[in-house]
Amino acid sequence: MLGGFFALLSAATFAFNNASLRRGVLTGSVAQAMAITVPIGVPIFLFTAAVTGSLVAVTEFSNKALLTLAAAGVIHFIWGRYCNYRATRAIGTNLTAPVQQSNLIISLGLAIWILGETLTPLRLLGIGLILLGPYYALRQKNKDDAPTAGDAVGASIKTEPLAFQPRYAEGVIFSLLSATGYGVSPILVRIGLEGKGLGVSIAGGLIAYSAATAVMALLLLWPGQLRHALAMKPESAKWFTLSGVMVCISQMFLFMAMSIAPVTVVSPINRLSVMFRLYFSRLINPQHEIFGGRIIIGTIVSLLGAAALSLSTDVAASMVPEALRPLLQWHWP
């Protein structure tokens, strides 16, 4: 119960981070966003670990756990985040979200392979719905049905062109690539925390963020990168800083959830962020996102897939006729 609550808080704060990031990349670059949002996590996690008394737990991890948590940080905060930012810049957060639901399939596959979890009819249904959602959301509309800025803000006169034109190929490719990072990292976090409980979760997050920040520092040494990062506009810096703080808080809740609940519970609940994204996008970026029935339906279909993945087989079996229960209780391997 507590793990699910932390996962829900992570989903809400992650959605707000995405809306803030979308606003920042309108005037700034992906590299500038990374230069702020990755390093800012270290002082936040360090302060929290010191206040909660979990800082000493950093020295209690095994070498294997340290390497696993460091790998999770690099894969999630460097690879996954970079690809997510590229996708958000290309097609906006509303179109990115349904495609990124595929990270659940990656997490589930790894959970079966590495953590010994099983594939069930409910999970097969969830996978199918998660794949169907992005297909429906991203289907090309007719020219006469092209989205407009009036559609985005709910205006009665729909004549003004949309404020941006999505670059679908780039957006979908980088959404899928970000899903690989976001799908692998929960498994690594779960392994790295070694089942030590809630008390060490903040320490684990500090290790992950520190590793990612070290890699980010090396990337900034590449000729011209540091100069480019420092040339950031104040408007971009404001939104990137807000995004960095919110995503850090989101990760803090996520590490806490992972320390006390299974991946198959935390990851689907965490994907509720796609619903929060629609609200925060409407609030912060009404002129810079695509809204409409297809996006909402595609998001809901993907969300139903996440719900199917998280639903207990025993609970589902109790809700159907007895004749169907053997089918629901089938599993592989």
Side-chain angles (χ1 to χ4, degrees):
M1 181 71 175
L2 185 59
F5 178 65
F6 284 140
L8 184 63
L9 292 177
S10 174
T13 48
F14 188 73
F16 192 90
N17 141 73
N18 273 284
S20 303
L21 181 278
R22 174 60 179 155
R23 188 66 172 266
V25 294
L26 295 175
T27 54
S29 71
V30 171
Q32 290 170 338
M34 295 286 291
I36 287 184
T37 61
V38 175
I40 201 173
V42 174
I44 293 176
F45 265 89
L46 183 61
F47 174 78
T48 306
V51 169
T52 58
S54 61
L55 190 57
V56 68
V58 172
T59 63
E60 298 174 357
F61 287 106
S62 66
N63 290 334
K64 177 183 176 182
L66 290 172
L67 289 174
T68 303
L69 289 169
V74 174
I75 290 172
H76 191 103
F77 302 137
I78 299 296
W79 171 254
R81 187 171 294 182
Y82 172 80
C83 294
N84 179 36
Y85 287 1
R86 283 286 302 269
T88 301
R89 184 181 176 91
I91 59 176
T93 187
N94 285 357
L95 285 174
T96 299
V99 182
Q100 284 181 338
Q101 292 282 62
S102 59
N103 72 3
L104 274 177
I105 299 174
I106 298 170
S107 294
L108 180 60
L110 291 174
I112 292 170
W113 178 37
I114 298 174
L115 301 180
E117 300 184 12
T118 59
L119 193 63
T120 66
L122 276 176
R123 289 176 176 170
L124 288 172
L125 174 63
I127 291 171
L129 291 173
I130 285 172
L131 293 175
L132 180 62
Y135 168 77
Y136 189 84
L138 295 169
R139 283 178 62 188
Q140 293 288 342
K141 295 185 176 184
N142 296 327
K143 291 182 180 180
D144 294 338
D145 195 28
T148 66
D151 294 324
V153 297
S156 58
I157 299 176
K158 303 179 180 181
T159 57
E160 184 183 350
L162 192 67
F164 83 105
Q165 294 299 320
R167 301 187 298 277
Y168 286 101
E170 177 185 351
V172 171
I173 289 171
F174 278 97
S175 293
L176 290 171
L177 291 175
S178 71
T180 63
Y182 291 162
V184 171
S185 59
I187 306 297
L188 296 177
V189 169
R190 183 70 177 168
I191 294 172
L193 291 176
E194 299 180 320
K196 292 184 177 180
L198 193 60
V200 303
S201 59
I202 302 300
L206 176 60
I207 294 167
Y209 255 111
S210 297
T213 299
V215 172
M216 192 68 223
L218 292 175
L219 294 174
L220 287 175
L221 292 177
W222 194 265
Q225 289 302 309
L226 182 59
R227 189 184 319 113
H228 173 68
L230 294 175
M232 190 181 320
K233 296 178 181 178
E235 179 71 8
S236 301
K238 176 184 71 175
W239 288 105
F240 289 155
T241 300
L242 179 59
S243 173
V245 171
M246 294 306 297
V247 75
C248 184
I249 294 172
S250 171
Q251 292 303 319
M252 202 172 293
F253 285 131
L254 184 60
F255 271 78
M256 293 167 71
M258 287 291 183
S259 69
I260 57 177
V263 172
T264 49
V265 172
V266 173
S267 290
I269 293 175
N270 193 243
R271 296 316 300 161
L272 286 168
S273 64
V274 300
M275 299 303 291
F276 289 114
R277 285 190 201 195
L278 292 173
Y279 172 76
F280 289 127
S281 294
R282 177 77 70 178
L283 181 68
I284 298 175
N285 302 308
Q287 295 285 347
H288 306 289
E289 291 284 358
I290 295 231
F291 297 90
R294 288 185 183 274
I295 307 301
I296 294 173
I297 292 173
T299 299
I300 291 174
V301 168
S302 293
L303 193 58
L304 289 174
L309 286 177
S310 62
L311 186 63
S312 166
T313 299
D314 292 337
V315 172
S318 68
M319 300 167 60
V320 301
E322 188 172 352
L324 296 177
R325 290 177 186 176
L327 175 63
L328 283 177
Q329 291 171 344
W330 173 89
H331 64 83
W332 180 88

